[in-house]
Amino acid sequence: MPASPPPAASPWGRRLAIVATCLVSLLVCCGLAWWQWDRFTSANGTFQNLGYVLQWPLFGLFPAFMFWRIRKLNQKAAAEPETPVEAKPEVPAPRPRPDAVQAPLTDEDEELAAYNRYLRELNARDQQAAE
């Protein structure tokens, strides 16, 4: 027997919880701004404290902004008709690489050519040691 779905939450209860969260956030952050203002106006206050005075109220308003933004996005998504998702064409499998042929060095740099020869010798030694 399948489980019954949970009872639908009251929209008013959810709205009250959102408003309460926003108000508590704003009050706490305004209290922290006041505390930073007191620190700024004290003898050892700095401009960093003044910066926090300006930042804390913005932090307090952020939850309200986020709930407002989420609500607007949900309304926009509900208003738009659902468009069918187009099937994406399959990506073909990658082709195997042709055998890499060593191209002759065309660089005029003798040091680079010597270094490349040295690396080839080291690679050959490693392959012989592995066998």
Side-chain angles (χ1 to χ4, degrees), residues 21 23 27 30 33 45 48 55 82 88 92 96 98 102 107 111 113 116 118 120 127:
T21 301
L23 285 177
L27 290 175
C30 284
Q48 183 178 9
Q55 284 180 344
E82 290 188 29
K88 294 181 181 179
Q102 289 279 338
D107 292 336
E111 283 185 42
N116 285 334
Y118 174 68
R120 280 194 295 274
Q127 287 180 358

Side-chain angles (χ1 to χ4, degrees), residues 18-67:
I18 290 172
V19 169
T21 301
C22 292
L23 285 177
V24 167
S25 170
L26 185 61
L27 290 175
V28 167
C29 290
C30 284
L32 289 169
W34 183 262
W35 170 63
Q36 287 294 327
W37 178 255
D38 286 343
R39 299 259 319 180
F40 173 68
T41 57
S42 69
N44 59 354
T46 63
F47 284 105
Q48 183 178 9
N49 298 115
L50 181 61
Y52 286 137
V53 168
L54 301 174
Q55 284 180 344
W56 278 116
L58 294 176
F59 294 154
L61 290 172
F62 185 73
F65 169 75
M66 286 307 301
F67 286 122

